[in-house]
């Protein structure tokens, strides 16, 4: 493939010098984009998933239909980049720890499904007198299903965590991993290759490269990306991530391996750092664009005339693929322990042929292999049945659900590890803090004290490290990025707080959040009254002025949680020394089991203290006096403040930090932390409750 079409597409520098100002290829590119966007939009309106829309767009605008695009070379170049980015994003999503946690579900269920499918297809083709090389090649093509289509379908139906969804996802993960080995083996099966020694040498070389990549992933890449992220420049971070992807892919290609394998390994490199999700969020728009080009290029290959002339052949192949995949996949789910109805549903969900099969088909065709053992018709037959099965997936999924319901099977998972879709998938009715500066620290402290769940989003490595040191949940990434917001479960949040000082960023974040979640309350602060109206148009509730604004914002934050009674107490602590004291306590203490302290019902009923409204349940995770630790001193007994949770030493101790805390903050009630003691003292009334 000549590189100049892609270079023109990316830069346009040479093309702009052409006579007439319009480069020669620009008309086809413009027609491609406009037609694809229109067809994809119309397809979405009738309920087709995006991949099917792109395939349909390629079919309609290709040389075998409307003929709007006759020279597919430009699209093929974009498709190659699409494959690289597709494998790179899959590598990012596969952490080694995650694979280890759900090994049985992935490797037993997925291994059976892929292995039995390849064996069954190879056996059938041998019975039909076809070459075994073509049989194994065709088996690999058919074994794969579409992760993108199936997971999108399950997500839209809210069935990702159902038993069928979990089984499907486990098998799909193995299929995506198997692509790496298939991309390596398929060229070896072609003419002029495929000897046992060559295949073993290829695997040994790949294993050595993978070992090197994994070593870099554990030891080098996290520190490198940390240094890049400290620039706080999205442009620099994106360029570095792209460089890692393409650089690794190119180096592996020099070693004789595929670009796709190199891209997958590059993704693994990035996934082992704390910035994997940030990298994925930055590269996702590019991946979507070039992946669309890949599927459009597949649609360009679809020949409607061939479909009309060879309809019996295509229908026979579709029927055969359905039978093999439904039977084998259902059997694999049964071995995992799923009921018969759920297993059948999984079989129908995964009955289509996947997007990575197109990658393999290209590689196999280049190596002289023939899909279904048909030298002249195999490629077109494969494209036709794949496009039709992908389009039929929603209907097959609905059929599987109806059959499962008729069988009386409950849609619950067996006793097997649940697949975690994200580290924050458990969050619900939580507050999202976008940004982590001085302003957000006050809010985080108040939310923690009020025992309200919250998640911090930040691009700052230092801010993220500090927040994690406090024990807070943190997600690194651009909080105006849709992917990051999805990971933060913005769809289940109760409040979104933009704790950023830049009006332009507040406006951008509020607009994105409002577009995705129209009903979610958004609160932000700005010191500029001039910006207020513009930001409110973007959908944010705005407060102004420093301390009064913070006080009002805390009220806004806590109002949905019915905790207005606690605002003043938490605010006083947050705006004074309590935040620093709590930070020291959380960051340097040895971890101990959390203990919660509060006034007992008997102490409240006695009524011998007029300050019980200052008391709130506080959680303690320390067994030391932090102020004494800093001074290098010891203590006798420990006390906890029932207003803010401060832990200090008693009056029998040298420094009397509990009493000093009362003098500084005015919090009147302390409780003993000593084992076997359950008393409370009021400094103001000088009474033991």
């Amino acid at each position: 493939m000549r590189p100049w079409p892609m270079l023109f597409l990316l830069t346009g520098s040479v093309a702009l010098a052409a006579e007439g100002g319009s480069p020669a290829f620009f008309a086809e590119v413009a027609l491609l984009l406009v037609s694809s966007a229109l067809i994809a939009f119309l397809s979405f309106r009738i309920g087709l998933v995006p991949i099917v829309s792109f395939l349909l767009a390629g079919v309609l605008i290709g040389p075998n239909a409307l003929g709007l695009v006759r020279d597919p070379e430009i699209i093929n170049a974009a498709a190659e980049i699409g494959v690289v980015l597709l494998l790179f994003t899959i590598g990012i999503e596969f952490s080694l720890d995650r694979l280890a946690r759900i090994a049985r579900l992935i490797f037993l269920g997925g291994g059976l499904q892929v292995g039995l499918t390849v064996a069954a297809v190879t056996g059938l083709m041998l019975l039909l007198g076809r070459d075994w090389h073509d049989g194994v090649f065709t088996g690999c093509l058919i074994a794969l299903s579409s992760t993108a289509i199936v997971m999108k379908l399950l997500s839209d139906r809210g069935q990702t965590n159902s038993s069928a969804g979990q089984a499907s996802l486990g098998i799909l993960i193995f299929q995506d991993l198997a692509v790496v080995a298939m991309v390596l083996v398929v060229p070896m099966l072609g003419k002029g290759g495929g000897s046992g020694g060559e295949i073993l040498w290829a695997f040994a070389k790949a294993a050595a490269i993978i070992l090197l990549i994994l070593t870099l992933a554990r030891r080098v890449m996290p520190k490198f990306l940390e240094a890049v992220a400290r620039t706080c420049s999205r442009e620099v971070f994106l360029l570095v991530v792209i460089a890692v992807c393409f650089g690794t892919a190119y180096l592996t290609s020099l070693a004789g391996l595929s670009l796709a394998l190199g891209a997958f390994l590059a993704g693994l490199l990035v996934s082992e750092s704390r910035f994997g999700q940030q990298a994925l969020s930055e590269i996702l728009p590019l991946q979507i664009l070039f992946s669309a080009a890949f599927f459009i290029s597949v649609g360009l290959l679809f020949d409607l005339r061939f479909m009309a002339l060879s309809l019996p052949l295509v229908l026979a192949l579709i029927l055969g693929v359905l039978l093999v995949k439904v039977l084998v996949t259902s059997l694999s789910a049964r071995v995992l322990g799923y009921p018969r109805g759920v297993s059948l549903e999984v079989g129908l969900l995964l009955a289509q042929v996947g997007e990575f099969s197109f990658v393999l088909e290209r590689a196999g065709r280049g190596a002289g292999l023939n899909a279904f053992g048909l030298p002249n018709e195999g490629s077109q037959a494969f494209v036709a049945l794949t496009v039709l099965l992908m389009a039929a997936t929603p209907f097959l999924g609905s059929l599987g659900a109806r059959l499962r319901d008729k069988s009386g099977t409950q849609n619950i998972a067996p006793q097997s590890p649940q697949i975690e879709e994200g580290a924050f998938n458990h969050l619900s009715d939580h507050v999202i803090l976008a940004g982590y500066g001085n302003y957000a620290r006050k809010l985080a402290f108040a939310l923690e004290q009020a025992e309200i769940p919250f998640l911090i989003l930040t691009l700052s490595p230092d801010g993220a490290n500090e927040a994690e040191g406090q024990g807070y949940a943190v997600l690194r990434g651009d909080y105006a990025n849709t992917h990051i917001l999805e990971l933060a479960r913005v769809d289940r949040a109760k409040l979104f707080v933009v704790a950023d000082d830049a009006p332009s960023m507040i406006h951008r974040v509020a607009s994105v959040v409002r577009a995705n979640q129209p009903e979610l309350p958004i609160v932000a602060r700005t010191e500029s009254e001039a910006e207020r109206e513009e930001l409110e148009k973007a959908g944010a509730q705005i407060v102004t002025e420093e301390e009064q604004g913070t006080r009002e914002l805390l009220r806004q934050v806590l109002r949905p949680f019915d905790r207005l009674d606690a605002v003043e107490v938490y605010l006083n602590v947050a705006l004074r020394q309590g935040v620093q004291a709590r930070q020291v306590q959380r960051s340097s203490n040895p971890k101990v089991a959390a203990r919660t302290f509060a006034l007992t019902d008997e102490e409240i009923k006695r009524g011998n203290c007029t300050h019980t409204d200052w008391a709130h349940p506080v959680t303690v995770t320390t067994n030391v006096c932090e102020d004494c630790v800093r001074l290098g001193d010891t203590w006798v007994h420990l006390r906890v403040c029932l207003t803010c949770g401060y832990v200090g030493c008693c009056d029998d101790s040298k420094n009397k930090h509990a009493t000093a805390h009362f003098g500084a903050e005015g919090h009147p009630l302390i409780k003993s932390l000593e084992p076997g003691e359950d008393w409370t003292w009021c400094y103001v009334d000088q009474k033991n409750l």
Side-chain angles (χ1 to χ4, degrees):
M1 179 181 297
R2 290 177 291 172
W4 60 264
M6 198 61 224
L7 293 175
F8 281 175
L9 183 62
L10 292 174
T11 65
S13 58
V14 177
L16 289 176
E19 290 185 5
S22 176
F25 66 88
F26 192 80
E28 287 200 355
V29 172
L31 283 171
L32 172 74
L33 292 175
V34 173
S35 303
S36 301
L38 178 60
I39 294 170
F41 174 74
L42 294 175
S43 300
F44 175 81
R45 297 289 292 180
I46 63 175
L48 293 181
V49 293
I51 288 177
V52 177
S53 301
F54 297 140
L55 290 169
L56 181 60
V59 172
L60 293 179
I61 67 178
N64 300 309
L66 298 178
L68 298 178
V69 177
R70 296 185 179 277
D71 182 5
E73 189 171 2
I74 297 173
I75 308 305
N76 287 336
E80 293 289 347
I81 294 181
V83 170
V84 168
L85 292 174
L86 203 59
L87 267 294
F88 181 63
T89 55
I90 285 195
I92 291 177
E93 292 173 333
F94 284 134
S95 72
L96 301 177
D97 293 336
R98 181 191 183 200
L99 295 180
R101 285 197 302 269
I102 53 175
R104 180 181 178 274
L105 191 58
I106 294 175
F107 294 103
L108 177 59
L112 278 174
Q113 189 271 335
V114 171
L116 291 177
T117 301
V118 173
V121 172
T122 304
L124 287 173
M125 289 189 61
L126 286 175
L127 290 176
L128 295 173
R130 307 295 181 183
D131 183 76
W132 73 269
H133 295 84
D134 287 339
V136 174
F137 170 56
T138 305
C140 290
L141 296 181
I142 293 175
L144 302 178
S145 304
S146 174
T147 302
I149 291 179
V150 173
M151 294 315 299
K152 174 66 174 173
L153 186 63
L154 289 170
S155 176
D156 289 344
R157 295 177 177 178
Q159 297 175 353
T160 306
N161 290 318
S162 68
S163 52
Q166 293 289 301
S168 299
L169 186 55
I171 293 173
L172 287 168
I173 288 175
F174 183 87
Q175 290 180 2
D176 290 340
L177 290 173
V179 170
V180 178
M182 291 177 180
V183 166
L184 190 64
V185 170
V186 163
M188 296 288 101
L189 294 173
K191 296 176 182 178
S195 67
E198 289 175 324
I199 294 177
L200 286 176
W201 168 241
F203 269 108
K205 186 164 53 174
I209 293 175
I210 290 172
L211 182 61
L212 174 62
I213 294 293
L214 294 181
T215 301
L216 291 174
R218 293 290 191 183
R219 299 179 181 274
V220 178
M221 188 56 62
K223 296 179 181 178
F224 174 66
L225 286 182
E226 179 94 24
V228 173
R230 286 184 184 279
T231 65
C232 292
S233 170
R234 293 182 57 214
E235 293 81 2
V236 173
F237 189 85
L238 176 59
L239 284 172
V240 169
V241 169
I242 292 290
V244 170
C245 171
F246 281 74
T248 306
Y250 179 67
L251 290 176
T252 56
S253 71
L254 292 180
L257 304 179
S258 69
L259 287 172
L261 176 60
F264 177 81
L265 294 175
L268 273 183
L269 266 176
V270 176
S271 75
E272 291 304 304
S273 78
R274 293 181 296 181
F275 301 93
Q277 290 301 330
Q278 182 180 342
L280 183 59
S281 68
E282 296 290 352
I283 203 173
L284 202 55
L286 288 176
Q287 186 261 325
I288 292 172
L289 175 63
F290 284 107
S291 295
F294 171 70
F295 289 112
I296 290 170
S297 71
V298 172
L300 293 175
L301 300 174
F302 188 88
D303 192 338
L304 291 173
R305 185 172 58 179
F306 169 83
M307 182 69 186
L309 295 175
S310 306
L311 186 60
L313 171 65
V314 174
L315 293 178
L317 291 174
I318 288 176
L319 180 60
V321 169
L322 282 174
L323 287 174
V324 169
K325 293 206 72 173
V326 172
L327 289 175
V328 169
T329 308
S330 299
L331 175 62
S332 302
R334 286 289 285 164
V335 171
L336 287 172
Y338 289 90
R340 189 164 33 248
V342 171
S343 299
L344 183 58
E345 182 182 8
V346 173
L348 287 167
L349 270 173
L350 303 184
Q352 79 290 129
V353 178
E355 53 268 18
F356 287 115
S357 295
F358 290 123
V359 179
L360 289 179
E361 200 276 333
R362 283 171 177 264
R365 191 167 8 113
L369 296 170
N370 300 302
F372 307 108
L374 302 172
N376 299 320
E377 302 172 317
S379 181
Q380 275 297 328
F382 167 75
V383 172
L385 80 89
T386 302
V387 171
L388 293 175
L389 282 176
M390 281 184 168
T393 298
F395 307 103
L396 293 173
S398 297
L399 175 62
R402 287 197 298 270
L403 293 176
R404 184 244 306 149
D405 291 339
K406 287 184 178 180
S407 71
T409 304
Q410 290 186 340
N411 204 14
I412 56 175
Q415 296 300 316
S416 59
Q418 290 287 303
I419 297 177
E420 298 178 10
E421 296 178 77
F424 309 106
N425 204 45
H426 63 284
L427 289 176
S428 182
D429 289 335
H430 57 294
V431 175
I432 297 177
L433 288 180
Y436 193 69
N438 291 330
Y439 191 52
R441 289 183 182 92
K442 301 169 185 176
L443 297 178
F445 178 80
L447 290 169
E448 181 192 33
Q449 293 295 300
E451 299 180 351
I452 295 171
F454 65 96
L455 174 65
I456 296 168
L457 309 183
T458 180
L459 269 170
S460 168
D462 291 334
N465 293 339
E466 177 189 332
E468 287 177 336
Q470 306 300 316
Y472 300 151
V474 178
L475 176 59
R476 291 168 168 80
D478 178 11
Y479 30 83
N481 185 284
T482 302
H483 174 70
I484 293 296
L485 293 176
E486 289 175 352
L487 291 176
R489 296 318 307 255
V490 68
D491 59 316
R492 298 201 306 220
K494 203 163 188 176
L495 186 70
F496 193 97
V497 180
V498 188
D500 197 295
D501 293 328
S504 59
M505 177 57 78
I506 298 174
H507 189 280
R508 186 161 72 96
V509 174
S511 299
V512 174
V513 174
R514 179 63 64 238
N516 285 273
Q517 298 295 324
E519 303 301 323
L520 179 64
I522 304 172
V523 178
R525 179 189 65 86
T526 179
E527 297 178 0
S528 171
E529 281 287 355
E531 300 284 351
R532 184 184 187 114
E533 184 177 349
E534 191 68 23
L535 294 175
E536 287 180 340
K537 287 181 180 178
Q541 303 174 39
I542 302 297
V543 293
T544 57
E545 302 177 9
E546 182 57 38
E547 182 164 335
Q548 184 57 38
T550 304
R551 194 178 296 271
E552 175 59 26
L553 184 53
L554 276 172
R555 287 185 174 275
Q556 296 275 13
V557 169
L558 297 174
R559 182 175 288 117
F561 298 90
D562 298 323
R563 298 303 307 273
L564 282 174
D565 59 320
V567 171
E568 293 301 326
V569 172
Y570 299 144
L571 181 60
N572 287 334
V573 176
L575 294 179
R576 295 194 180 96
Q577 297 176 0
V579 172
Q580 286 85 11
R582 186 64 168 166
Q583 287 174 344
V584 172
Q585 178 183 323
R586 292 186 66 92
S587 61
S588 61
N589 274 353
K591 293 292 183 181
V592 298
R595 295 170 292 169
T596 300
F597 295 87
L599 285 179
T600 65
D601 292 338
E602 291 183 3
E603 289 173 333
I604 296 174
K605 288 178 181 178
R606 288 191 191 109
N608 60 346
C609 175
T610 59
H611 299 87
T612 55
D613 57 336
W614 281 80
H616 303 279
V618 294
T619 299
V620 175
T621 58
T622 183
N623 56 4
V624 300
C625 174
E626 285 290 345
D627 290 328
C628 285
V629 170
R630 283 198 301 273
L631 295 172
D633 290 333
T634 59
W635 57 90
V636 179
H637 303 294
L638 293 178
R639 312 296 184 223
V640 58
C641 173
L642 291 183
T643 300
C644 68
Y646 171 82
V647 174
C649 54
C650 67
D651 284 356
D652 291 334
S653 303
K654 172 184 176 182
N655 297 302
K656 302 178 176 60
H657 282 127
T659 299
H661 174 73
F662 162 68
E665 300 297 332
H667 300 165
L669 300 174
I670 61 168
K671 202 171 189 68
S672 174
L673 284 185
E674 298 305 307
E677 295 184 2
D678 189 23
W679 53 262
T680 302
W681 173 260
C682 177
Y683 281 106
V684 178
D685 293 337
Q686 292 290 298
K687 290 181 179 179
N688 191 331
L689 278 62

